[in-house]
Amino acid sequence: MKNIFKLIVASLFVSILLVACNNDADRDWTTPEASFKLYDTSLGVNNVLYETMKGNPFTVVWESIGSGEYSVTLSSKEDFSSKTQLGTSTENSLTTTIGSLNAKLLELGFSPFVSQKLYIRIEKGSEVSNVISFGVTAYPVSGPVITAPANGSTITLNSADQAAIATTITWNDYSNYGSPVTYTVEIAKKGSATFSQLGVVTGSKSLAISNKDLNNAALTVGGVANTEGEFDFRVTAKTSFSTPAIELKSSVVTAKMKPYQVDYPDFYLVGGATAIGWDAPNSQKLYKKENTSEIYTYLSPDQFRFLGQKDWNPINYSIDDPRTDSGNRYFKTVSSNVEFGDHENMKFTGTAGIYHVKINADFGVKSLTVEPSAGVWDIPNLYLVGTTNGWQAASAEQFNPVGNGVFEIIKELPVGSEFKFLAQQDWSGKEWGNIHSTGNTGYLGPNGDNNNIVVSSSTSATNFYTIRVDLKRGTYQLIPF
């Protein structure tokens, strides 16, 4: 019987020893046992932090175990194998801000707008408190970091292949936002606070830009054609996870570029509102000088548009409006007497008369203004005055009226001749000359915006010309006789 009892006791001892050994194997011997109590924090079980909360207090309270310094420790791992210090205190509590807590979460590798578990404990020397854990969602505080182009580098623009990629802007940012992020890439002249948009991407950290688009942008922000300049690039991250949305900007990166000269487009006026009507092959080309195209011409309340050639295809220019065919959208701003007409056209809403039609084709501008003019077209007579008659208005020669604002006269015009047109045989009324300044552009300028028409060279063997003036279109011609 004694032997049986000894066997039972021995078996029980072995069982207890095995259980103890198994329990020991399951324990994490690297985590100290709690020797005092962490009571609570001012956050709940699941918490979403917002940028608007950054000044709000965050408090941690624990059991006091004597004098000395306590460290409030945070970790993204239950065993605290990676950790960071939120702060220290000689009291049994610590109050900081949500902003400071958020910064520490990002330091631990928390992704913005993604709920992750946070572990908190108090450390004092070799003694530690129990661990409190809860879910928390951090918000971003740092902007993207541009990785290309490199600061101080040079981007070479190729005018021969405008569709080719000139450069690709790339950047680093948080690995995961847990919410859609829109990145806006911008450019400015170095040192300027005025940036122009290069492009927008969502869910990507790069933007490829063509030679054409980058060159246009460089000129828009003040770059000079054929002159190397320095340009600032920046990237803005925006997410609407919270209200208001969070926007974070990168530091600028500066690169050198030499923009190339752009040939601004030609504009041909056509439409029911014009003196031409809907006759594309007969459409009226505007006077172009650098970025400006203009004309003093007749308009009436009706629809119109501009063509890029004396044909309906391939280029058309109309108002930049979602209702307009996408291929025809051009003018970003128009004057108050111009509005959307239909999917292809604009509509002029003013009263019938002569107007100064002016286009600014600068990149980023693309404006159309239509202003009333001092010009007229429906007059009974037109007269020629100039060097051929000693600029004597009283003896100015009368044109032959053709009709609808058109007048003609045959005249000998030696090289060096200068002249103007009058609506009467004196200087007190309406007059026309070359638009703006002395020259021979073929475009009329009315009172206040004209100068002499000059025959600078001869295209006629006899120096005789048919001078044809079209007041309604706003043009004149010297046709060799």
Side-chain angles (χ1 to χ4, degrees):
M1 188 69 178
K2 288 182 180 180
N3 291 335
I4 294 174
F5 178 75
K6 288 180 180 178
L7 181 60
I8 292 173
V9 171
S11 299
L12 182 59
F13 176 76
V14 170
S15 298
I16 292 173
L17 181 61
L18 287 173
V19 171
C21 289
N22 287 338
N23 286 342
D24 288 345
D26 291 340
R27 291 185 62 184
D28 179 6
W29 290 98
T30 65
T31 303
E33 293 286 349
S35 56
F36 63 102
K37 186 171 181 59
L38 168 59
Y39 293 121
D40 207 349
T41 73
S42 55
L43 293 180
V45 177
N46 290 297
N47 308 272
V48 179
L49 309 184
Y50 296 98
E51 197 272 341
T52 53
M53 300 165 57
K54 64 183 180 183
N56 292 0
F58 173 67
T59 301
V60 184
V61 180
W62 57 88
E63 175 189 2
S64 176
I65 55 171
S67 62
E69 185 175 80
Y70 299 86
S71 172
V72 180
T73 306
L74 310 179
S75 180
S76 59
K77 301 180 182 297
E78 187 175 7
D79 63 0
F80 283 77
S81 55
S82 65
K83 62 184 181 179
T84 188
Q85 186 184 81
L86 177 63
T88 62
S89 174
T90 56
E91 307 294 331
N92 66 324
S93 67
L94 173 72
T95 297
T96 183
T97 63
I98 293 296
S100 297
L101 173 63
N102 187 79
K104 291 298 182 179
L105 297 179
L106 297 174
E107 184 181 306
L108 283 170
F110 278 51
S111 295
F113 307 138
V114 178
S115 180
Q116 294 175 251
K117 185 168 283 190
L118 175 67
Y119 299 89
I120 301 181
R121 74 183 182 191
I122 312 301
E123 299 177 355
K124 185 184 180 188
S126 60
E127 298 182 275
V128 298
S129 72
N130 58 301
V131 175
I132 288 179
S133 64
F134 50 83
V136 63
T137 301
Y139 61 83
V141 295
S142 300
V145 177
I146 297 176
T147 55
N151 198 46
S153 63
T154 298
I155 300 171
T156 302
L157 297 171
N158 181 11
S159 61
D161 190 358
Q162 296 202 60
I165 299 303
T167 191
T168 299
I169 311 296
T170 60
W171 56 92
N172 291 330
D173 201 7
Y174 297 102
S175 59
N176 181 20
Y177 270 90
S179 177
V181 181
T182 298
Y183 295 99
T184 301
V185 184
E186 298 173 296
I187 184 175
K189 195 73 180 295
K190 182 181 178 181
S192 172
T194 303
F195 281 78
S196 179
Q197 182 176 296
L198 283 172
V200 178
V201 295
T202 299
S204 174
K205 296 184 180 68
S206 67
L207 175 70
I209 308 169
S210 68
N211 285 293
K212 178 182 177 180
D213 290 342
L214 187 54
N215 186 72
N216 291 354
L219 293 171
T220 296
V221 300
V224 179
N226 302 318
T227 302
E228 186 176 75
E230 292 185 293
F231 299 86
D232 290 338
F233 295 86
R234 76 179 182 191
V235 176
T236 300
K238 180 177 181 180
T239 176
S240 55
F241 177 87
S242 61
T243 302
I246 294 177
E247 290 190 18
L248 299 169
K249 299 183 186 301
S250 71
S251 298
V252 299
V253 165
T254 303
K256 298 176 182 177
M257 286 190 295
K258 181 189 288 186
Y260 50 82
Q261 181 64 52
V262 176
D263 185 18
Y264 292 99
D266 293 322
F267 296 92
Y268 295 81
L269 182 61
V270 69
T274 74
I276 298 95
W278 294 105
D279 184 3
N282 197 35
S283 56
Q284 178 59 57
K285 184 180 179 181
L286 275 62
Y287 168 59
K288 181 176 75 171
K289 187 175 181 180
E290 297 177 348
N291 64 312
T292 301
S293 291
E294 58 187 320
I295 196 168
Y296 287 91
T297 191
Y298 174 84
L299 287 178
S300 64
D302 204 340
Q303 298 195 82
F304 72 102
R305 75 176 101 154
F306 295 93
L307 307 175
Q309 60 288 310
K310 284 181 173 288
D311 199 326
W312 294 112
N313 294 299
I315 303 172
N316 286 255
Y317 301 102
S318 191
I319 194 168
D320 188 358
D321 185 286
R323 296 169 292 178
T324 302
D325 290 347
S326 59
N328 293 4
R329 297 173 193 167
Y330 184 82
F331 298 107
K332 297 183 180 298
T333 61
V334 295
S335 51
S336 60
N337 52 9
V338 177
E339 61 183 31
F340 171 79
D342 62 24
H343 64 107
E344 294 182 303
N345 305 304
M346 297 170 283
K347 183 178 181 181
F348 177 64
T349 61
T351 58
I354 301 296
Y355 288 83
H356 185 198
V357 178
K358 186 175 181 180
I359 295 170
N360 184 340
D362 260 336
F363 301 103
V365 179
K366 297 180 180 178
S367 65
L368 169 64
T369 57
V370 179
E371 297 180 344
S373 162
V376 294
W377 68 273
D378 54 347
I379 57 176
N381 298 304
L382 188 71
Y383 301 89
L384 178 71
V385 64
T387 55
T388 57
N389 78 330
W391 293 102
Q392 297 301 309
S395 62
E397 296 182 71
Q398 185 174 340
F399 278 78
N400 297 314
V402 177
N404 201 30
V406 178
F407 299 86
E408 289 184 349
I409 191 173
I410 297 174
K411 188 68 180 174
E412 183 179 11
L413 298 172
V415 173
S417 300
E418 298 187 21
F419 55 92
K420 282 188 174 185
F421 312 123
L422 302 174
Q424 63 291 310
Q425 288 180 303
D426 61 53
W427 293 102
S428 64
K430 300 297 181 183
E431 68 172 65
W432 295 264
N434 189 66
I435 189 169
H436 301 329
S437 58
T438 300
N440 187 0
T441 63
Y443 294 89
L444 292 171
N447 294 61
D449 192 19
N450 71 61
N451 212 312
N452 298 343
I453 299 170
V454 180
V455 182
S456 57
S457 62
S458 178
T459 57
S460 168
T462 62
N463 288 336
F464 276 89
Y465 296 86
T466 296
I467 305 175
R468 180 181 175 88
V469 179
D470 192 330
L471 298 178
K472 206 169 185 182
R473 279 198 175 206
T475 62
Y476 65 89
Q477 293 173 278
L478 304 183
I479 305 169
F481 189 76

